[in-house]
Amino acid sequence: MQRSKKGRPRKVISQGNAKIAFTGKAVTSHAGMALIARALEHFGVREDLKQPTADLDLGKHHLMSDLLEQLIAIRLMGGEAVSDTALLKDDALAAFFDWDQIAHPSTFGRRLTEMRWSHNLGLQRIVTGLSDRVLNAGQRLVAIDSTVVSVFGEKIEGAERGYNPHKPGRDSYHPLLAVDVGTRAVVDGYLRPGSCASNHGLEGFIRKLIADSRHRAEQTVFRMDKGLTSGAVLDTIEQFGAGYVGKLKLTPTVAGQISKIREWRAIGNGCFAANIYCRLEGWSRPRRMAVIERNQPAGEQPQQLPLFEMMEGRYEVVVTNLHLNAENIWRLYNRGTVVEQIIEELKNDFAATAIRTSGFWANDALFLTGLIAYNLLNCIRRLGLPKALATARLKRLGLLLLQLPANVIRRSRQLWIKIKQDHPMRLIFYRAMAALQ
């Protein structure tokens, strides 16, 4: 057993040709989080967090804006539970973010129960504001989708039984999201009880998206999946002069119209396109539908399926008000599948739906901090990093940039964070910091 300079026993572990021991010297593995701290200031997120929550800070030891900021930081460090905030007790992080102290994990849960709809509305505005930072000119494709999040535990407010393909019969939440396909930014989103239908509240959500957007409604196209497309939703979009591409279920009415098609146009790869006009139940008028037929090779044909199940795999029907060829409508709709990748990234990389308490509005606020963390990183990688890293996920960016080891040195009443001089990401780190100046 070796001993330290003060004579205390020091446990040393041998591995290969190296000796491993814990040290009392000030070091950090989060020097790259300086990039996140600068982004919070550059994009005004720090001030935006203070405004909607100022009324919750009277007589409190910890500011709500600091708690929310710390939750955003822990998500970007890979944390998946409130207890992971213990990792924030780091001299370098305290200096970067100007935090006086880190709250106890129980404090987060207790204070978040004070959040209400009006406070969360302010967080939604931050999400939308960050998406506008990377907004491109021209036509904007906004993909809207929902997901199911199973909830384990009793007495979780708002967690109710509903459609749950992964855990049937389990209580769940059913969040709704809107994503800018071109920039991969989350435009808006919020939590819903698990008993809600997929398109519940969608008309109001679309009205809010159009009202909050800096983009002209005439240049916006909404992309929706089968469970979201309804006559009322399409009427709402048309009211604002926006476009839409929405997939339809193969109901008997739609299947009957497809059977009447006599002229198909070959578009390659064994696919054929056609157009039909049809008015479905609940619609105010007939609408154009782009129909795509995919002919499977003989070896891939299933042995026997009911008629509608067989047609479901063979035909795709997309309703639209755009003046494009049927195949281009289909391709535009398929571009929106990026929303499913982003939902998976939010759930697995940012734990947007994993950290929760017993209160509904607290859980909605936690969900929104995940969206803010995602959009903040998206702004950094699109505005401050090379094109090769413009779509890199959190795991890779954490390895390359955020988890930088460094020495923490106090000298001349200043705190110095010293990163290895020949680190391979040194120039990229410099350029990213300069881009957020």
Side-chain angles (χ1 to χ4, degrees), residues 324-344:
L324 296 173
N325 291 335
E327 59 268 31
N328 290 331
I329 293 295
W330 180 51
R331 289 166 186 149
L332 182 64
Y333 174 84
N334 288 337
R335 273 183 56 202
T337 54
V338 70
V339 67
E340 296 169 9
Q341 300 172 17
I342 292 172
I343 287 175
E344 187 268 334

Side-chain angles (χ1 to χ4, degrees), residues 39-54 57 64-66 68-69 72 115 118-131 133 372 376:
L40 286 171
E41 296 175 355
H42 179 76
F43 297 116
V45 176
R46 178 163 289 168
E47 290 301 317
D48 290 342
L49 286 171
K50 293 178 181 178
Q51 294 175 7
T53 60
D57 295 331
M64 181 62 78
S65 58
D66 285 348
L68 295 172
E69 194 174 297
I72 293 169
M115 297 289 285
S118 58
H119 305 118
N120 292 357
L121 199 59
L123 300 183
Q124 289 182 22
R125 284 193 288 268
I126 296 174
V127 174
T128 303
L130 287 172
S131 72
R133 293 280 185 166
I372 293 171
L376 191 67

Side-chain angles (χ1 to χ4, degrees), residues 109-143:
R110 187 176 66 254
R111 291 293 310 279
L112 284 170
T113 58
E114 302 169 7
M115 297 289 285
R116 293 295 178 265
W117 172 79
S118 58
H119 305 118
N120 292 357
L121 199 59
L123 300 183
Q124 289 182 22
R125 284 193 288 268
I126 296 174
V127 174
T128 303
L130 287 172
S131 72
D132 286 340
R133 293 280 185 166
V134 292
L135 186 63
N136 294 328
Q139 189 183 70
R140 185 189 200 189
L141 180 61
V142 177

